[in-house]
Amino acid sequence: MSRKFCVGGNWKMNGNKAEIAEICKGLTAGPLDPNTEVVVGCPAPYLSYARGLLPASVGVAGQNCFKVAKGAYTGEISPAMLKDIGADWVIIGHSERRQIFNESDELIADKTAHALAEGLKVIACIGETLQERESGQTEAVVFRQTKALANVIKDWTNVVVAYEPVWAIGTGKTATPQQAQEVHAALRKWFTENVSADVAASVRIQYGGSVTAANCRELASQPDIDGFLVGGASLKPEFIQIVNARQ
Ligand code: G3H
Protein backbone atom coordinates (compact mmCIF):
# COMPACT_ATOMS: atom_id res chain seq x y z
CA MET A 1 0.00 0.00 0.00
CA SER A 2 1.49 3.32 -0.95
CA ARG A 3 1.61 5.99 1.71
CA LYS A 4 1.69 9.62 0.62
CA PHE A 5 4.77 11.35 2.02
CA CYS A 6 3.65 13.93 4.57
CA VAL A 7 5.79 16.79 5.87
CA GLY A 8 4.64 18.96 8.75
CA GLY A 9 6.26 22.17 9.84
CA ASN A 10 5.77 22.86 13.55
CA TRP A 11 6.44 26.53 14.08
CA LYS A 12 5.97 26.09 17.85
CA MET A 13 5.70 29.43 19.73
CA ASN A 14 7.54 31.39 17.08
CA GLY A 15 6.71 34.05 14.56
CA ASN A 16 4.73 37.24 14.25
CA LYS A 17 2.60 38.54 11.40
CA ALA A 18 5.57 39.76 9.38
CA GLU A 19 7.57 36.56 9.83
CA ILE A 20 4.58 34.33 9.12
CA ALA A 21 3.80 36.30 5.97
CA GLU A 22 7.37 35.69 4.82
CA ILE A 23 7.18 31.94 5.49
CA CYS A 24 3.82 31.72 3.69
CA LYS A 25 5.28 33.63 0.75
CA GLY A 26 8.06 31.06 0.49
CA LEU A 27 5.61 28.16 0.65
CA THR A 28 3.40 29.78 -1.96
CA ALA A 29 6.36 30.22 -4.30
CA GLY A 30 7.49 26.64 -3.66
CA PRO A 31 7.87 24.66 -5.73
CA LEU A 32 6.41 21.92 -3.52
CA ASP A 33 6.47 18.29 -4.60
CA PRO A 34 2.83 17.54 -5.54
CA ASN A 35 3.32 14.00 -4.24
CA THR A 36 3.98 15.30 -0.72
CA GLU A 37 1.26 16.41 1.66
CA VAL A 38 2.34 19.58 3.47
CA VAL A 39 0.96 20.86 6.76
CA VAL A 40 2.08 23.75 8.92
CA GLY A 41 1.47 23.91 12.66
CA CYS A 42 0.88 27.56 13.38
CA PRO A 43 0.51 29.39 16.71
CA ALA A 44 -3.22 29.67 17.43
CA PRO A 45 -3.53 33.46 17.15
CA TYR A 46 -2.17 33.34 13.59
CA LEU A 47 -3.98 30.27 12.26
CA SER A 48 -6.60 32.23 10.38
CA TYR A 49 -4.00 34.66 9.07
CA ALA A 50 -1.75 31.85 7.80
CA ARG A 51 -4.71 30.01 6.28
CA GLY A 52 -5.52 33.16 4.27
CA LEU A 53 -1.96 33.44 2.96
CA LEU A 54 -1.25 29.81 2.07
CA PRO A 55 -2.30 27.86 -1.01
CA ALA A 56 -5.19 25.47 -0.41
CA SER A 57 -2.83 22.55 -1.00
CA VAL A 58 -0.98 23.35 2.24
CA GLY A 59 -2.85 22.20 5.34
CA VAL A 60 -2.93 24.26 8.49
CA ALA A 61 -2.69 22.67 11.94
CA GLY A 62 -3.31 23.84 15.46
CA GLN A 63 -0.50 22.82 17.82
CA ASN A 64 -2.84 21.63 20.57
CA CYS A 65 -6.51 21.38 21.43
CA PHE A 66 -8.70 20.36 24.35
CA LYS A 67 -10.74 17.19 24.72
CA VAL A 68 -14.23 18.69 24.74
CA ALA A 69 -16.18 21.03 22.45
CA LYS A 70 -16.77 24.01 24.71
CA GLY A 71 -17.20 25.19 28.26
CA ALA A 72 -15.44 26.72 31.23
CA TYR A 73 -11.86 25.81 30.28
CA THR A 74 -10.06 29.14 30.35
CA GLY A 75 -7.23 29.29 27.84
CA GLU A 76 -8.16 26.13 25.98
CA ILE A 77 -9.06 25.77 22.30
CA SER A 78 -11.52 23.21 20.96
CA PRO A 79 -11.21 21.26 17.73
CA ALA A 80 -14.50 22.85 16.64
CA MET A 81 -12.88 26.28 16.98
CA LEU A 82 -9.85 25.16 14.98
CA LYS A 83 -12.12 23.89 12.23
CA ASP A 84 -14.21 27.04 12.34
CA ILE A 85 -11.24 29.23 11.49
CA GLY A 86 -10.04 26.98 8.68
CA ALA A 87 -7.55 24.62 10.29
CA ASP A 88 -7.84 21.04 9.10
CA TRP A 89 -5.21 19.41 11.30
CA VAL A 90 -4.04 19.46 14.89
CA ILE A 91 -0.76 18.31 16.43
CA ILE A 92 -1.43 16.40 19.66
CA GLY A 93 0.92 14.98 22.27
CA HIS A 94 4.09 16.77 21.26
CA SER A 95 6.85 16.00 23.77
CA GLU A 96 6.85 19.66 24.81
CA ARG A 97 3.18 19.25 25.79
CA ARG A 98 3.97 15.96 27.54
CA GLN A 99 7.02 17.27 29.40
CA ILE A 100 6.37 20.96 30.08
CA PHE A 101 2.61 20.73 30.54
CA ASN A 102 2.55 17.23 32.06
CA GLU A 103 0.11 15.83 29.50
CA SER A 104 -0.54 12.14 30.12
CA ASP A 105 -1.02 9.37 27.56
CA GLU A 106 -4.70 9.30 28.57
CA LEU A 107 -5.28 13.03 28.09
CA ILE A 108 -3.53 12.89 24.73
CA ALA A 109 -5.73 9.95 23.73
CA ASP A 110 -8.88 11.80 24.82
CA LYS A 111 -7.85 14.89 22.85
CA THR A 112 -7.11 12.75 19.81
CA ALA A 113 -10.45 10.94 19.96
CA HIS A 114 -12.34 14.22 20.26
CA ALA A 115 -10.38 15.97 17.50
CA LEU A 116 -11.03 13.05 15.13
CA ALA A 117 -14.73 13.00 16.04
CA GLU A 118 -14.89 16.71 15.22
CA GLY A 119 -13.40 16.06 11.78
CA LEU A 120 -9.83 17.23 12.25
CA LYS A 121 -6.85 15.23 11.06
CA VAL A 122 -4.34 14.52 13.80
CA ILE A 123 -0.56 14.39 13.94
CA ALA A 124 -0.10 12.29 17.08
CA CYS A 125 3.40 12.56 18.56
CA ILE A 126 5.28 9.89 20.45
CA GLY A 127 8.91 9.39 21.39
CA GLU A 128 11.35 8.41 24.11
CA THR A 129 13.68 10.53 26.21
CA LEU A 130 17.45 10.07 26.19
CA GLN A 131 17.30 8.32 29.55
CA GLU A 132 14.63 5.95 28.26
CA ARG A 133 16.69 5.17 25.15
CA GLU A 134 19.87 4.62 27.13
CA SER A 135 18.08 2.27 29.49
CA GLY A 136 16.73 0.19 26.61
CA GLN A 137 13.15 1.40 27.00
CA THR A 138 12.59 2.94 23.56
CA GLU A 139 10.18 0.32 22.24
CA ALA A 140 8.34 -0.04 25.54
CA VAL A 141 7.77 3.72 25.69
CA VAL A 142 6.60 4.25 22.12
CA PHE A 143 4.41 1.13 22.27
CA ARG A 144 2.81 2.37 25.52
CA GLN A 145 2.14 5.80 23.97
CA THR A 146 0.73 4.20 20.80
CA LYS A 147 -1.41 1.76 22.79
CA ALA A 148 -3.06 4.68 24.60
CA LEU A 149 -4.00 6.07 21.18
CA ALA A 150 -5.09 2.71 19.82
CA ASN A 151 -7.44 2.30 22.77
CA VAL A 152 -9.56 5.18 21.44
CA ILE A 153 -8.90 5.34 17.68
CA LYS A 154 -11.27 3.21 15.64
CA ASP A 155 -10.30 4.60 12.23
CA TRP A 156 -6.68 5.55 11.58
CA THR A 157 -7.33 7.16 8.17
CA ASN A 158 -6.98 10.69 9.53
CA VAL A 159 -4.08 10.01 11.86
CA VAL A 160 -0.40 10.51 11.16
CA VAL A 161 1.96 9.26 13.84
CA ALA A 162 5.04 11.41 14.45
CA TYR A 163 7.93 9.53 16.03
CA GLU A 164 10.08 12.17 17.66
CA PRO A 165 12.85 10.99 19.96
CA VAL A 166 12.97 13.70 22.60
CA TRP A 167 16.77 13.72 22.63
CA ALA A 168 16.77 14.71 18.95
CA ILE A 169 14.35 17.63 19.23
CA GLY A 170 15.98 21.02 18.84
CA THR A 171 19.37 19.55 19.72
CA GLY A 172 20.95 19.22 16.30
CA LYS A 173 21.41 15.55 17.22
CA THR A 174 19.33 13.77 14.59
CA ALA A 175 18.57 10.07 14.90
CA THR A 176 20.55 8.23 12.26
CA PRO A 177 18.43 6.94 9.39
CA GLN A 178 19.04 3.44 10.80
CA GLN A 179 17.94 4.40 14.32
CA ALA A 180 14.78 6.05 13.00
CA GLN A 181 14.00 3.22 10.59
CA GLU A 182 14.42 0.67 13.37
CA VAL A 183 11.77 2.35 15.54
CA HIS A 184 9.43 2.99 12.60
CA ALA A 185 9.63 -0.67 11.58
CA ALA A 186 9.02 -1.76 15.18
CA LEU A 187 5.96 0.49 15.33
CA ARG A 188 4.61 -0.95 12.10
CA LYS A 189 5.06 -4.45 13.49
CA TRP A 190 3.27 -3.31 16.66
CA PHE A 191 0.37 -2.09 14.51
CA THR A 192 0.23 -5.44 12.71
CA GLU A 193 0.08 -7.34 15.98
CA ASN A 194 -2.16 -4.97 17.94
CA VAL A 195 -4.41 -3.17 15.45
CA SER A 196 -4.47 -4.73 11.98
CA ALA A 197 -2.29 -5.51 9.00
CA ASP A 198 -4.21 -2.90 6.98
CA VAL A 199 -3.53 -0.11 9.46
CA ALA A 200 0.10 -1.20 9.77
CA ALA A 201 0.49 -0.93 6.01
CA SER A 202 -1.37 2.34 5.58
CA VAL A 203 -0.64 4.50 8.62
CA ARG A 204 1.93 7.17 7.97
CA ILE A 205 4.79 7.50 10.45
CA GLN A 206 6.74 10.74 10.34
CA TYR A 207 10.17 11.21 11.87
CA GLY A 208 10.87 14.40 13.82
CA GLY A 209 14.00 15.68 15.53
CA SER A 210 16.57 18.05 14.02
CA VAL A 211 15.52 17.34 10.43
CA THR A 212 17.30 19.67 8.02
CA ALA A 213 17.84 20.08 4.30
CA ALA A 214 21.18 18.33 4.80
CA ASN A 215 19.86 15.13 6.42
CA CYS A 216 16.32 14.80 5.04
CA ARG A 217 17.08 12.83 1.89
CA GLU A 218 18.76 9.92 3.58
CA LEU A 219 16.03 9.78 6.23
CA ALA A 220 13.37 9.95 3.51
CA SER A 221 14.91 7.00 1.71
CA GLN A 222 14.11 4.66 4.62
CA PRO A 223 11.20 2.34 3.81
CA ASP A 224 9.14 3.07 6.93
CA ILE A 225 9.71 6.83 7.14
CA ASP A 226 6.69 8.48 5.54
CA GLY A 227 7.52 12.11 6.16
CA PHE A 228 8.78 14.51 8.78
CA LEU A 229 7.62 16.76 11.55
CA VAL A 230 10.04 19.65 11.37
CA GLY A 231 10.59 22.27 14.06
CA GLY A 232 13.38 24.81 13.67
CA ALA A 233 14.00 24.26 9.97
CA SER A 234 10.30 24.80 9.17
CA LEU A 235 10.82 28.49 9.94
CA LYS A 236 13.53 28.73 7.29
CA PRO A 237 13.58 28.59 3.48
CA GLU A 238 15.20 25.14 3.67
CA PHE A 239 11.78 23.74 4.64
CA ILE A 240 11.00 23.64 0.90
CA GLN A 241 13.95 21.28 0.37
CA ILE A 242 12.67 19.07 3.19
CA VAL A 243 9.20 18.95 1.62
CA ASN A 244 10.91 17.90 -1.60
CA ALA A 245 13.15 15.29 0.04
CA ARG A 246 11.73 12.46 -2.07
CA GLN A 247 12.26 14.20 -5.42
O1 G3H B 1 7.71 19.15 16.13
C1 G3H B 1 8.88 19.17 15.74
C2 G3H B 1 9.92 18.61 16.53
O2 G3H B 1 9.84 18.98 17.86
C3 G3H B 1 11.28 18.74 15.95
O3 G3H B 1 11.86 19.99 16.23
O4 G3H B 1 13.17 20.04 14.13
O5 G3H B 1 13.52 21.77 15.89
O6 G3H B 1 14.27 19.40 16.24
P1 G3H B 1 13.30 20.32 15.59
Side-chain angles (χ1 to χ4, degrees), residues 50 57 100 102 117 127 138 160 164 199 206:
S57 60
I100 303 169
N102 295 318
T138 297
V160 170
E164 300 201 302
V199 169
Q206 296 174 322

Side-chain angles (χ1 to χ4, degrees), residues 65-146:
C65 66
F66 197 48
K67 62 178 180 177
V68 297
K70 62 179 177 179
Y73 303 102
T74 302
E76 292 297 323
I77 298 169
S78 73
M81 291 171 180
L82 292 175
K83 278 205 81 177
D84 195 35
I85 59 160
D88 30 20
W89 288 82
V90 62
I91 299 168
I92 299 182
H94 191 280
S95 67
E96 288 147 18
R97 301 291 324 167
R98 292 177 185 266
Q99 297 203 314
I100 303 169
F101 301 99
N102 295 318
E103 293 195 4
S104 66
D105 291 342
E106 289 67 31
L107 176 61
I108 289 160
D110 288 347
K111 289 179 176 196
T112 300
H114 180 59
L116 290 170
E118 291 285 318
L120 283 175
K121 291 177 270 192
V122 173
I123 296 176
C125 304
I126 59 172
E128 83 287 0
T129 63
L130 183 59
Q131 192 211 343
E132 288 163 342
R133 172 161 283 259
E134 288 178 341
S135 59
Q137 294 298 301
T138 297
E139 288 195 0
V141 170
V142 298
F143 293 169
R144 186 202 75 223
Q145 293 167 333
T146 309

Side-chain angles (χ1 to χ4, degrees), residues 10 12 94-96 164 168-172 208-211 229-233:
N10 179 8
K12 307 193 180 183
H94 191 280
S95 67
E96 288 147 18
E164 300 201 302
I169 294 176
T171 58
S210 299
V211 176
L229 187 56
V230 185

Side-chain angles (χ1 to χ4, degrees), residues 47-69:
L47 276 165
S48 191
Y49 179 63
R51 177 65 287 164
L53 294 173
L54 287 166
S57 60
V58 175
V60 172
Q63 298 177 5
N64 183 31
C65 66
F66 197 48
K67 62 178 180 177
V68 297

Side-chain angles (χ1 to χ4, degrees), residues 139-216:
E139 288 195 0
V141 170
V142 298
F143 293 169
R144 186 202 75 223
Q145 293 167 333
T146 309
K147 172 81 169 71
L149 295 168
N151 286 343
V152 299
I153 298 174
K154 301 293 166 242
D155 179 354
W156 287 80
T157 312
N158 288 330
V159 181
V160 170
V161 176
Y163 167 59
E164 300 201 302
V166 180
W167 47 272
I169 294 176
T171 58
K173 194 177 168 193
T174 322
T176 64
Q178 293 69 32
Q179 283 174 320
Q181 167 59 27
E182 195 180 327
V183 177
H184 285 227
L187 282 166
R188 223 175 280 291
K189 184 162 177 277
W190 186 92
F191 275 107
T192 303
E193 291 166 357
N194 295 277
V195 182
S196 73
D198 278 354
V199 169
S202 61
V203 72
R204 292 177 291 178
I205 309 176
Q206 296 174 322
Y207 167 77
S210 299
V211 176
T212 64
N215 61 30
C216 64

